[in-house]
Amino acid sequence: MRRGCSVGAALFFAATLSAGAAEAAGVLRTVLVIDASSSMLSTDPKELRKVAAELYVDLARDGDELAVTGFDGSARESTGGFTKIQGLADRNALKQAVRAVGKNGSWTDFTAGLLEAKRLLDAAPDEPGDQEFIVFLTDGRCDPDPKGALAEAAKAARAAGSPKRVEEICQDKVLGEIVPTLGRARLFAVGLSRSAPKAFLETLGQRTGGVGLATDRAEELPRVFADVFARLLGSRLIEGESASSVDIAVGEGMLTLDVIVVGPPALSMRLFDPSGREAPVGNQAPAEFYFADSPSYRLHKVMKPAAGTWKLAIGGPGRGGRYAVLQNLDLRLEFVDLPDVMEIGKPQILKMRLATPGGKMPPGEFLGRHELSLLAAEAPNKCEEALRAQVLKVAPRLKVARGKEGHWEHALLPLQRGEICFETVLSPLAGGVLSRVTYSKAVRIVPPLKLAAKATAFGSVKQGQEAKAEISFEGSELGEAVEVDFAAIAPPGSANPLGGLSMRPKSASLEPGGKNAFELVIAVDRDAKAGARSIEMRVTPSKPKGYEDRATHVVLSITIVPLTFWERYGFWVKVISGSLLGLLLLIGIVGPARFRKGTMLYYKDMRDPDLPREGSYPLAAKAKAGFYRGAKAMVGPTGPVRMGGVVELIAGPGGGVLAKPLGGRKAREVPRDEEEGGEGREVSLKDGVFRVAPGARYSIDGAGLTFWVAVR
């Protein structure tokens, strides 16, 4: 037999029991029944039936209860009772019990193993919501002790002329006598050889609401998995040949993620979550991440896996192998859009559904293998206590039918004021696996609500201003306080119901006997279209929930008056004019040229060569710019003067100095190596001025003045 076969069968049955029944209301109780006959030495030399049983133990949830028994001609190596899985020690103890089952039995008596499973289940406590399973692993046909009761029954049958062989007598006893006594326990049978009685195993599974199959080909298992999970469980299984990297798309609302790699010990596996973090293998927190490493398989179990793409990396020198991924939905029973209030005399449709927290529902075929019952309790108040009393009295419940959308639906008609509470119970039918119980909030039953609304007009209002109107609910019939929402209705052909208007408040609270009149304020945008218009407004009860269909309408009229030119643009005219004036003032003050900071004027009076006089003058400090007038200074032979100067110094671009000879005089640049007063080069003028080079000395013809400029 090939290695993948029995391990795949374990995946199939463990997923059938643990995945579909995840978070069931009661305990999941399973007996692993393992063939211990000596025929296993040839049909299962690598003891893959035990590998399959150990894998089933690893796939089981914390809180599940398991027992193990072997059988040959009689029951053997039985654990004698159930072990509740509460941690690593319990899993290891159960796997050790699986390994302890022998393989040296002389006979194969199916009845012995199944009767021991029945004894174990009968001895266990039976609480509401508990579910019981038997996983039956064998390699071939029923071959009981030739001196036992089955052989004697076969002899008696032959003596009476019956052609039945001892194997058929054994099968008849299992189907006709043992199976009817198993109660609600479902049996999952797998034959692990070509000689296994396929028809009998399939019938055995069908009779108990389980599944039976016989195979020695691993490649058949993916088809079996896909078919059974789609029809029976609503869970998701993906499997295939080992690859170096496998992407696993995990959807929202998954309860567990089980990833298994089956193959030789050298075939390694690593698992990474959508953020790239590797799943731990040390079992420090097995309630969140559990890892098992067996000579035949490796397993990761992740509780409440994050949605996204997980990565499975398979490596090592090992060859061959397969992987399998089980994703189990976190299914919850809930009420759909249950209102806060119901009105007396108004029919209501109560809806319930089984779905993930995100609203994803399992296939309809899966839902069809379950039934839903409903219990309701009405009371003037505190209906929760009334419901609790009915539950304790085991009051009869109503069976609820499923609607087209997959919801269970029940019609009811409230008749008296008070409260009503509901309990709904999901129970498995043949082939079903889930048990759920949920309770509703208290729903108040109130007199009918009738809204009547009328409003005054907003009148005329200019663009950019506000106006007020009043909305009154006089004439409304209110059985209790309600909150209503105001919403404008868009006119035909328009997506914007208000078109440049905004209105407040958005809601109001109405009370029986109250004034129930409210002020509405409408703000008109400056660009709102001018003219008369009508605004249709819907008034919808929003709190408590359940009155939404009692909405009413009012029409509000308003005339929008356009702004005059000065009202619309006067402010900006003032702003722009003021800005321009400020800019002109700023240019007049900042714009005129100034002498560079530290610029000094040095001068000599050379009219008397024997007695020259010289001085200096801080141009930057004393020659200031004026409003729209650049800085300048008039210079005579004796220095700066107000009048009668021979040259005018003017601040140029960048703080430079320009010189303008006055009175038609010429200026000469005095060579540095000549005596003062010597002839120099005549300076050329442009527009009557020349640029003064720092440090260069200049003389003015016929004036006796020599000057130069330096920057300190």
Side-chain angles (χ1 to χ4, degrees), residues 407 453 492 602 627 651:
H407 300 151
Y602 298 93
F627 185 65

Side-chain angles (χ1 to χ4, degrees), residues 269-335:
M269 71 175 292
R270 300 173 70 190
L271 183 65
F272 300 88
D273 69 13
S275 69
R277 184 178 58 182
E278 184 173 359
V281 297
N283 288 327
Q284 287 87 356
E288 299 176 12
F289 294 93
Y290 170 66
F291 179 74
D293 190 359
S294 160
S296 299
Y297 66 87
R298 273 103 266 152
L299 174 143
H300 271 290
K301 180 188 291 290
V302 183
M303 296 299 296
K304 299 291 180 67
T309 301
W310 290 64
K311 298 281 187 181
L312 171 62
I314 303 175
R319 301 181 62 185
R322 299 185 69 82
Y323 74 89
V325 179
L326 302 177
Q327 297 187 46
N328 308 318
L329 289 171
D330 180 8
L331 295 174
R332 304 179 183 185
L333 184 62
E334 61 186 8
F335 291 89

Side-chain angles (χ1 to χ4, degrees), residues 181-256:
T181 66
L182 293 179
R184 63 185 179 185
R186 278 174 283 170
L187 204 151
F188 298 85
V190 59
L192 302 175
S193 72
R194 293 183 180 180
S195 62
K198 181 178 180 180
F200 166 71
L201 295 173
E202 290 176 349
T203 302
L204 186 58
Q206 293 169 0
R207 290 275 183 93
T208 61
V211 177
L213 62 89
T215 181
D216 68 336
R217 298 176 58 195
E219 57 267 27
E220 288 186 0
L221 293 175
R223 175 185 57 80
V224 175
F225 292 167
D227 179 64
V228 172
F229 276 85
R231 291 186 299 104
L232 182 63
L233 303 175
S235 296
R236 183 183 303 167
L237 183 142
I238 303 170
E239 63 95 34
E241 298 286 347
S242 294
S244 59
S245 179
V246 178
D247 287 348
I248 303 170
V250 176
E252 59 82 25
M254 291 298 167
L255 180 65
T256 61

